[in-house]
């Protein structure tokens, strides 16, 4: 596709049926405005604009290399944009000094794709780490809060285990518990189901739904798993090769006629998917 027009807030740009705006300036928790990102000379995000509302679950959906993980790393401040702005709680984090942004970062929890647990620390110590670094709470209070977070993700009784002693799904839950440690207003997930079998992945989806109901947080989930996306999302944004090609409710996205959205949803391979194989065959023959 040579052109990728940007959807307007609150509508699916290719559906032909505009819906009322999903947000106003009062309830937008995260605003992404004309974000462009380069890795070296390569442009990986192309003027992305997106509003994420307070209390909603936004799923950013796309295949490998679509730019979805890059976008979420921008929101948490792990990477810098080339141009554009990202507003979190109304403040442009792209222009903030580290000390100022750290105050905002305390309100953001992130569950990383690989859990990012410290292998030398117990699960309880991993979860308590943000509290020890960013608060002056008494040790007894930190222990109580740590236990509560572990209980909330179904890991009660595993406080003294090390990451190497846990299954993949349990590590994911421990990573989520640590992301919850500071009682964040925004919770970000990068590929929460990656590497998990379907049953364990379904458990993570169920946990995300329960967390939203219990804590009323703004949740952003990056994934390529269609079943998870349509189960947990209030709205879905679809990225394709760094372009935002659709934003809408689950029903709107499911009904999309955009060719690249349909290709992704219907699991249709690219016409040139065999190009690399053919090239390797030519070298061997």
């Amino acid at each position: 596709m040579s052109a990728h027009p940007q959807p307007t807030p609150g509508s699916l740009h290719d559906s032909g049926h505009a819906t009322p705006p999903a947000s106003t300036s009062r309830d937008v928790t995260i605003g992404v405005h004309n974000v462009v990102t380069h890795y070296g000379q390569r442009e990986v995000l192309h003027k992305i604009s997106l509003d994420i509302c307070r209390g909603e679950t936004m799923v950013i959906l796309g295949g490998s290399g679509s730019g979805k993980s890059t976008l979420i790393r921008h929101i948490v401040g792990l990477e810098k944009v080339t141009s554009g702005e990202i507003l979190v709680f109304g403040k442009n984090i792209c222009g903030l000094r580290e000390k100022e942004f750290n105050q905002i970062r305390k309100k953001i929890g992130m569950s990383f794709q690989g859990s990012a647990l410290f292998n030398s620390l117990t699960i309880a110590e991993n979860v308590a780490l943000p509290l020890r670094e960013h608060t002056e709470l008494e040790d007894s209070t930190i222990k109580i809060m740590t236990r509560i977070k572990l209980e909330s993700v179904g890991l009660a009784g595993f406080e003294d285990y090390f990451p190497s002693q846990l299954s993949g799904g349990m590590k994911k839950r421990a990573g989520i518990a640590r992301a919850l440690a500071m009682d964040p207003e925004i919770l970000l997930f990068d590929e929460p189901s990656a590497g998990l079998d379907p049953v364990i992945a379904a458990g993570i989806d169920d946990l995300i739904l329960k967390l939203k109901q219990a804590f009323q947080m703004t949740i952003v989930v990056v994934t390529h798993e269609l079943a998870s996306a349509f189960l947990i999302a209030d709205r879905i944004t679809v990225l394709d090769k760094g372009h935002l090609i659709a934003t809408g409710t689950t029903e709107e996205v499911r009904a999309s006629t955009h060719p690249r959205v349909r290709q992704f949803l219907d699991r249709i391979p690219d016409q040139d998917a065999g190009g690399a194989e053919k090239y390797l065959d030519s070298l061997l023959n």
Side-chain angles (χ1 to χ4, degrees):
M1 293 179 61
S2 58
H4 295 260
Q6 294 287 308
T8 56
S11 68
L12 184 69
H13 92 100
D14 65 298
S15 67
H17 301 286
T19 57
S23 60
T24 67
S25 59
R26 284 186 309 155
D27 58 16
V28 172
T29 300
I30 303 168
V32 179
H33 302 151
N34 295 313
V35 164
V36 175
T37 302
H38 288 84
Y39 290 161
Q41 297 300 312
R42 182 182 168 218
E43 188 171 289
V44 295
L45 291 180
H46 314 287
K47 291 190 176 180
I48 301 295
S49 292
L50 173 68
D51 284 340
I52 301 171
C53 303
R54 183 176 64 245
E56 80 168 332
T57 298
M58 172 67 80
V59 169
I60 302 174
L61 189 63
S64 299
S66 60
K68 56 189 187 299
S69 291
T70 298
L71 179 57
I72 203 171
R73 287 196 294 268
H74 285 324
I75 294 172
V76 79
L78 295 177
E79 292 186 11
K80 301 296 184 184
V81 304
T82 302
S83 62
E85 63 179 17
I86 297 177
L87 304 180
V88 180
F89 304 119
K91 292 188 177 181
N92 181 11
I93 64 173
C94 301
L96 289 182
R97 295 179 179 178
E98 188 69 18
K99 185 176 180 181
E100 294 175 288
F101 183 57
N102 281 339
Q103 296 305 309
I104 293 176
R105 190 180 275 131
K106 291 177 183 178
K107 301 178 182 179
I108 304 174
M110 182 161 181
S111 174
F112 294 90
Q113 181 173 341
S115 301
L117 300 172
F118 292 97
N119 291 325
S120 60
L121 302 179
T122 66
I123 298 307
E125 289 168 341
N126 268 282
V127 175
L129 192 60
L131 295 169
R132 297 194 186 282
E133 287 190 346
H134 301 296
T135 74
E136 297 180 359
L137 294 171
E138 295 287 338
D139 188 64
S140 58
T141 303
I142 290 176
K143 287 182 178 179
I144 292 170
M145 292 180 69
T146 297
R147 187 172 67 249
I148 291 171
K149 301 308 179 188
L150 287 171
E151 287 175 354
S152 72
V153 300
L155 287 180
F158 289 91
E159 292 86 351
D160 296 329
Y161 282 62
F162 287 89
S164 61
Q165 297 173 303
L166 301 184
S167 67
M170 294 170 78
K171 288 179 184 177
K172 291 276 188 181
R173 289 174 177 268
I176 295 170
R178 187 179 59 188
L180 292 169
M182 297 284 291
D183 294 321
E185 296 179 42
I186 298 172
L187 187 57
L188 309 177
F189 291 88
D190 189 7
E191 298 284 6
S193 302
L196 302 179
D197 69 55
V199 174
I200 301 300
I204 297 297
D205 291 341
D206 186 60
L207 175 59
I208 292 172
L209 289 170
K210 288 178 178 177
L211 290 174
K212 178 188 176 180
Q213 185 176 19
F215 298 108
Q216 301 297 307
M217 293 177 291
T218 301
I219 297 176
V220 184
V221 181
V222 161
T223 187
H224 64 273
E225 300 285 349
L226 294 176
S228 294
F230 284 101
L231 177 65
I232 65 178
D234 294 314
R235 288 194 298 144
I236 293 175
T237 290
V238 185
L239 297 185
D240 177 55
K241 298 177 182 177
H243 295 273
L244 196 160
I245 59 173
T247 297
T249 65
T250 54
E251 293 82 6
E252 288 172 326
V253 171
R254 200 187 296 275
S256 170
T257 58
H258 189 292
R260 290 295 285 179
V261 175
R262 289 262 49 96
Q263 182 182 18
F264 189 78
L265 297 185
D266 298 335
R267 302 182 67 189
I268 300 171
D270 280 326
Q271 297 263 330
D272 60 350
E277 266 183 29
K278 291 177 182 177
Y279 175 69
L280 289 174
D281 284 343
S282 72
L283 293 178
L284 296 172
N285 298 323

